[in-house]
Each structure stands twice: as structure tokens, then as C-alpha cells.
Amino acid sequence: MVPNCAEGRLVSNTYNPEDAGNPEDAGNLEDTGNPEDVDDGPAEPLTLPLDAWHRARGGRMVPFAGYQMPVQYEGIIAEHRWTRSHAGLFDVSHMGQLVVSGEGAEAALEALLPADLGLLKPGALRYSLLLDDDGGILDDLIVGRWADTFQLVVNGATKWDDIGHLRERLPDAITLSHRDEQGLLALQGPSAAAALAALAPEPAMAGIAPLAALGFMQTAAYVWQGRPLGISRSGYTGEDGFEISVQAEDITALADALCAHPEVKPIGLGARDSLRLEAGLPLYGHDLSEAIDPVSAGLGFAISKRRRAEGGFPGAVRILALLADGPPTRRVGLAIEGRMAAREGAKVLAGDTIIGTVTSGGFSPTLERPIAMARIGAAHAAPGTALTIDANGRHLGAIVVPMPFVPHRYHRTGAAK
Amino acid sequence: MTVYYTKEHEWIAVDGAIGTVGISHFAQGQLGDITFVELPAVGKALKAGEAAAVVDSVKAASDVYAPVTGTVSDVNPALEGEPELVNTDAESGGWLLRLTLSDPGELDGLMDRAAYDAYVAEL
């Protein structure tokens, strides 16, 4: 047997969702899972600080974004369900943790991002986009503010390009630091808050709220057993949870302490992908790319009101026109009939006409059916529209549905339960 | 009954002129959780090496090839409701289809268990 899409060989130990086999190759035997084909990471994958920990816990390690990372431990579906029902611990230390500081950092970053950073209070986080001059998406990221300093958390596969872009575009007076001495853990799921609270991290200084008061999309500095932790209430699963920046030398102790909680298990990249797909969250390099603008990508919310009025971000002329006139294509969710999944690269048809392409797809463990994201002609994007997917010659029925596929359960302070 | 294996990780258990086909335990482990199996129509004629079925997992969709030439005489009805049988019992209850062999001589080109185990150990 030979996989007929996404991976060249059954026994390839390469995980595909981010490393992206060329979707046009579905059905052939070319090894498209080789990360050297698609990203700029080092040819020989690097190891992350938790490497030995993953191996000791039975993680199946694969090259991903230039690093050896765990794709799964006990199995993707079981790990996915555990995260939705308890809490999962994800090692996302491959992501780039950047700090932008210096006089005028706010204005300098606003020249590169469409966010209104003036609205960002100290300790607040916001989803934003690094844009090229045509309004194409270079990366998606989380930007946060501490006083006059900004932190950016960017994708692992794109971080080197992002750093190059920022160094080139930021004025000399602005300092860009890559905190590559820091690891990053994500703790996600309904038990995440209790599991992290059990470690009793203390505010790092006066004026920082206790952990229990940290709201969704807020970040603050804490100390756990003398070790500094940057804790953000955020994530990529649709669940309540945290992303914890930790010094590399402390990450094993922290991972051990979190997994000592009976509700926490380590979770691999495979479930991370299926969780974010259910949550309707796009994955850079698949659902987003330099060829796609924020409006077509359904990320118009990332272009703040003041920036819409004033412009002054890369690609503003084109993006503002797309906001006014409507984009030619849209990112939509598809619920697929039957049991066979549609995967990246599968064509989407209305009648006999190709109107788009699947950008991510797979089996939803929560809904127990295949789901997908696709980029399709805007005329066909209304929820309820019946379409067809050509999956290697098999025609699958699909209905446009709103995203998220599975409702978000973020922690909203004061929100009704 | 003799069991043969292919380099593409199918097995075929042969009893007289009938061969039962599945994927190996090693293969199911590589694929991860199997979510759907598409089986051929009974009566379909398959050439050796021709795509006979599709196994869809959380990781990828994979073609399963006919190990030898034959005609599909039966498919595993349990897989429609329980595709995960291919994970839990790949080389027995998770069988995919049965073939009436056209040329049992083709079996000579396949591996026995020991040869397959040695082959997998090298991967």
C-alpha cells in the first residue's frame, strides 16, 4: 500500500500538515513529505530542549519546521479527544519568540502590521498579520505589549524569514531580539486552568494580577519555584488554555510538573492540527500564504478600525479596496458527506466548474466526520451552498458551513457560561 | 493456509484459490488512526499491483494494491462501521477483501513472514 496523497511513502517518518506536500501531486509516489522541499529550515532537523522528554514518553518524532518534533504519542484521535475533555500539553518551542523595543517601536510595528497597537493595553495580546507590500500574508502572529516593548510570537517554519523581514524594515533605532533561549509550552483544554493553578505560579512583581484573573488574550510574568514564566491565556485549539514561555533549562521540570497532574497528557502535532481545524483556525503555509490577502482569508477582523480609516500598513490600498468591494475568493468551512476525508489540494467544484481548492482537511474526531477549509470563489461561499470535492477522482459532496466547526470555549472574564 | 507479504505492506492469506487481503500490523501503525476504508465492488477484476482499496487515516489516504491478480469475491462488512478494526486487528479481523486468484504462481514473487519482518527491520 502506498499513500495516495500528502506523503510519498507509507513508511515515511515525515509528518505532512505543515511541511506541505504539493497538493498537485496527490496520487503520485513522489515523496512530497520532505521538509527540505518546502521550508527554509535547516537541512538536518534541529532538536528542541524537550527532545529527550518526548522520546522517553513514546513520542514519534518527525521533522517539522526544521526541528524534530513529536507527531503523536498514543494516537491522534485519542490525544485530540483528551485535549477536548481534559488538558493537553503541546511543545511549541519551534515557534519564534521575538521582542521589539526602542523609542518609536509602536509606530515602527504599525508600519508592518494592520493592528491598532494604540488600543493594546499593557499585558494584552492580539492576533495580527505580517503583510508584504501587496497585502499578501507573510505570517500570522500574536502581538503583545509590555509597557513600550512588544512581543511577537510567530510560526516556526516562517520565523527566519520574519526576522529577516523585520530587520530589513524596522528603523535602526528599534531593537529586534529573538528569544531563542526560551521554550514554549501550550496547555490547552477544560482542565488547563486547574492544572496550571496547581503549580501555583506567583505574579513576578507587584501590580501583576494573580493567574486566576488572567483573561483570554492577556499575558503576564509569573514565577514558579524561582523560575520565570511568561504566561499567556491563548492557544490554537479553541479551548481555554495557556501558552507558557519558559527558559530552555527549566522546560523539562515544567513539563514534568504539568504532566504530573492526572488530567494532563502530552499531545503531538497531529492532534494540534485536527484541533485547530475544528476550531476554524487557519494554518500558515496551507490556509494562508503570501498569495492570499487578509480579506480573502476571512481575517478582516485583524485590520483595526483606525487602520482602515488611515491606511499606512503594507498593501493598504489593495486591502482597503478588497474590504470595500468584497474579495474574489473566500476561506470557507466545508462539511463533507460520507467518511472519506478531502485533503489539501483537492479541487472544489460547483457543478462541473472548478471554483476553488481545499487548503486543509481531515477527519474531525469531535464531529466524527470529515471537514475541510477551502479557498473558493466568493459567489459560492454562502453557508448552505452545496459543492463537490474531487478527491483523487472520487467526488465527495460538501456543504459550506460556518466556522468554527466546533464551538470555541475560550475563557471570557465575566461571560455567561 | 500460507500468508505472504508485499513490499507495499499488504498481506494475503491463501487457502486454495482464495486469498484474503489486508494491510500489515506495521502498516497500520505507520498510518495511525484509520477513519474510513473504501472497498471494491464484489466481482471486480484486479491485476496484481492495481489499487484495490483506500485506507483513510488521520494522516493520509493510502491506496492498497492487489498483491496478485484476481477477482474480488468478498469484502469485510465490519469495516463500514468499525474501520478502526484495521488498527486493532490488522492481520486478522481487520482484513479488507477476498480475491479468487487468477494465477497462484504470482505468489512466488511475494515475501513470507520472516522475509517481511527482515524487510521491515531494515526500514
Side-chain angles (χ1 to χ4, degrees):
Chain A
M1 62 184 299
V2 172
N4 62 20
C5 81
E7 270 191 79
R9 295 176 301 133
L10 171 60
V11 294
S12 162
N13 63 353
T14 304
Y15 179 61
N16 70 69
E18 192 164 299
D19 289 332
N22 180 347
E24 305 293 334
D25 289 341
N28 78 13
L29 303 187
E30 188 181 321
D31 188 347
T32 54
N34 185 341
E36 292 169 40
D37 293 343
V38 291
D39 71 31
D40 294 319
E44 193 65 27
L46 303 172
T47 54
L48 289 167
L50 266 187
D51 192 83
W53 188 90
H54 294 306
R55 292 177 197 273
R57 285 175 174 258
R60 183 185 293 175
M61 306 301 282
V62 300
F64 181 83
Y67 294 92
Q68 289 288 349
M69 295 189 68
V71 63
Q72 67 172 63
Y73 300 83
E74 61 180 305
I76 291 172
I77 291 177
E79 292 168 33
H80 180 115
R81 292 190 167 137
W82 184 268
T83 304
R84 289 260 183 261
S85 57
H86 300 82
L89 184 70
F90 304 77
D91 181 10
V92 287
S93 298
H94 65 305
M95 297 184 79
Q97 300 182 63
L98 311 180
V99 176
V100 177
S101 57
E103 182 79 34
E106 180 174 318
L109 269 181
E110 280 202 352
L112 304 178
L113 307 173
D116 183 349
L117 297 176
L119 288 180
L120 203 63
K121 295 175 183 155
L125 301 170
R126 181 170 296 244
Y127 178 81
S128 193
L129 302 164
L130 204 56
L131 299 173
D132 71 18
D133 291 331
D134 296 323
I137 301 171
L138 293 170
D139 203 0
D140 63 340
L141 54 84
I142 300 288
V143 56
R145 177 201 288 273
W146 313 310
D148 292 327
T149 297
F150 293 88
Q151 64 168 37
L152 306 179
V153 179
V154 304
N155 282 299
T158 45
K159 67 182 176 184
W160 302 110
D161 286 343
D162 292 351
I163 290 167
H165 178 79
L166 290 164
R167 288 204 192 288
E168 183 188 320
R169 297 295 181 97
L170 289 171
D172 291 345
I174 304 297
T175 304
L176 175 69
S177 325
H178 181 196
R179 301 189 72 197
D180 56 0
E181 76 290 358
Q182 293 288 113
L184 193 64
L185 295 177
L187 182 68
Q188 301 278 298
S191 304
L196 188 55
L199 269 56
E202 297 285 336
M205 62 192 85
I208 290 180
L211 181 67
L214 192 70
F216 180 60
M217 294 302 272
Q218 291 184 334
T219 186
Y222 295 85
V223 177
W224 169 66
Q225 297 184 348
R227 302 165 168 118
L229 303 179
I231 301 181
S232 301
R233 198 154 200 166
S234 54
Y236 195 45
T237 60
E239 298 293 331
D240 183 24
F242 303 88
E243 291 171 301
I244 307 164
S245 180
V246 54
Q247 298 178 122
E249 64 261 37
D250 297 335
I251 194 169
T252 302
L254 180 60
D256 277 338
L258 289 168
C259 283
H261 192 285
E263 305 251 314
V264 179
K265 286 184 181 182
I267 307 295
L269 291 172
R272 182 170 159 84
D273 190 51
S274 54
L275 288 159
R276 70 89 197 167
L277 178 61
E278 286 186 345
L281 301 171
L283 174 59
Y284 194 83
H286 300 258
D287 311 302
L288 308 178
S289 75
E290 286 176 43
I292 301 172
D293 65 87
V295 187
S296 304
L299 304 175
F301 68 88
I303 303 156
S304 300
K305 187 177 169 192
R306 176 174 64 79
R307 307 307 304 278
R308 294 183 186 211
E310 295 176 3
F313 54 88
V317 171
R318 176 167 168 241
I319 288 171
L320 295 176
L322 287 163
L323 281 168
D325 302 338
T329 64
R330 291 188 186 274
R331 178 171 63 93
V332 298
L334 298 174
I336 296 164
E337 292 165 13
R339 296 281 293 184
M340 177 165 282
R343 291 195 162 80
E344 183 175 1
K347 295 300 174 202
V348 183
L349 297 91
D352 297 330
T353 308
I354 294 175
I355 54 119
T357 306
V358 170
T359 54
S360 288
F363 181 77
S364 161
T366 304
L367 303 176
E368 298 190 314
R369 66 180 301 169
I371 57 174
M373 280 185 210
R375 187 183 181 206
I376 66 170
H380 305 279
T385 305
L387 300 169
T388 304
I389 296 173
D390 182 344
N392 298 318
R394 290 174 185 78
H395 281 204
L396 312 176
I399 305 284
V400 177
V401 295
M403 291 190 285
F405 296 96
V406 173
H408 294 160
R409 298 193 292 179
Y410 298 135
H411 177 73
R412 303 282 188 186
T413 312
K417 295 266 174 178
Chain B
M1 192 161 69
T2 311
V3 184
Y4 303 86
Y5 292 84
T6 72
K7 288 189 171 179
E8 288 75 37
H9 307 283
E10 293 94 6
W11 56 265
I12 180 167
V14 180
D15 187 2
I18 300 290
T20 302
V21 177
I23 68 168
S24 71
H25 178 73
F26 173 80
Q28 69 76 24
Q30 292 293 312
L31 281 175
D33 296 328
I34 288 162
T35 54
F36 175 71
V37 181
E38 186 183 74
L39 296 168
V42 171
K44 185 174 184 181
L46 293 166
K47 291 197 175 73
E50 187 176 348
V54 179
V55 175
D56 206 6
S57 78
V58 288
K59 236 178 129 185
S62 302
D63 285 330
V64 179
Y65 298 117
V68 293
T69 304
T71 303
V72 178
S73 61
D74 198 4
V75 296
N76 188 347
L79 298 182
E80 183 170 348
E82 279 185 276
E84 60 272 23
L85 270 177
V86 181
N87 288 121
T88 56
D89 198 11
E91 302 199 21
S92 180
W95 64 277
L96 304 182
L97 55 105
R98 293 203 170 95
L99 287 175
T100 303
L101 308 190
S102 301
D103 176 9
E106 289 176 345
L107 296 166
D108 296 342
L110 304 180
M111 290 177 277
D112 64 12
R113 177 87 220 186
Y116 178 71
D117 286 346
Y119 170 70
V120 166
E122 293 288 307
L123 294 177

